[in-house]
Amino acid sequence: MASDLRDKRQFFRFFGVNILGMIADYLLAVLLASVFGTPYVLAVTCGFVLGSFVNYCGHNIFSYEHTSRETISAVGFGKYLLAVLFSLVVRLITVAALDYLSVLPFWLILLVAIGVSFVVSYVISTLWVFRKPG
């Protein structure tokens, strides 16, 4: 099980898919916060939801060799949503803590929070959501 976390090809495919999701996530959050004055926590949440949709589909199709378009399901998406919600909680705690404890600009706080939630997401996705059968 832990060896799945060390699969470099899988990790880089996961990372590549997450780049697309992260771009969508980041741009929406910054747009909402900077242009529309949306509170940071709400802006981060909206960006996170968009990025999660991009990531779930991409991970099923590209990230894991044992998954494909055919493995996309309501049950799988439900598991992914639980993982995403946990990652979101980690991200929101990171944003709130850095906003409270530092003078860092929002865009940098958001990048740090995205990095933290990426690690959490990879571990949960690999060991639970997209776990190899058997």
Side-chain angles (χ1 to χ4, degrees):
M1 203 183 309
S3 65
D4 293 335
L5 292 173
R6 292 187 291 259
D7 182 336
K8 290 178 184 171
R9 286 186 34 198
Q10 177 179 281
F11 176 83
F12 285 112
R13 287 190 306 265
F14 190 92
F15 182 78
V17 167
N18 269 45
I19 292 295
L20 296 176
M22 182 184 67
I23 290 169
D25 177 341
Y26 182 78
L27 290 176
L28 182 59
V30 170
L31 176 75
L32 290 173
S34 301
V35 175
F36 297 104
T38 304
Y40 290 169
V41 171
L42 180 58
V44 168
T45 302
C46 291
F48 194 81
V49 169
L50 177 62
S52 296
F53 176 76
V54 171
N55 289 342
Y56 175 72
C57 294
H59 293 320
N60 264 291
I61 297 167
F62 301 111
S63 297
Y64 296 93
E65 290 179 357
H66 61 280
T67 61
S68 67
R69 288 183 180 163
E70 289 77 33
T71 60
I72 296 173
S73 69
V75 172
F77 188 63
K79 287 172 71 173
Y80 188 73
L81 283 178
L82 289 175
V84 164
L85 290 174
F86 183 77
S87 295
L88 176 60
V89 169
V90 169
R91 181 180 296 193
L92 293 175
I93 289 169
T94 303
V95 167
L98 289 176
D99 186 44
Y100 181 76
L101 296 172
S102 74
V103 294
L104 296 172
F106 173 69
W107 65 267
L108 185 54
I109 289 172
L110 181 57
L111 283 178
V112 170
I114 287 170
V116 170
S117 65
F118 170 80
V119 171
V120 170
S121 177
Y122 180 68
V123 170
I124 293 171
S125 293
T126 301
L127 297 181
W128 185 56
V129 178
F130 302 105
R131 184 179 180 171
K132 286 182 184 174

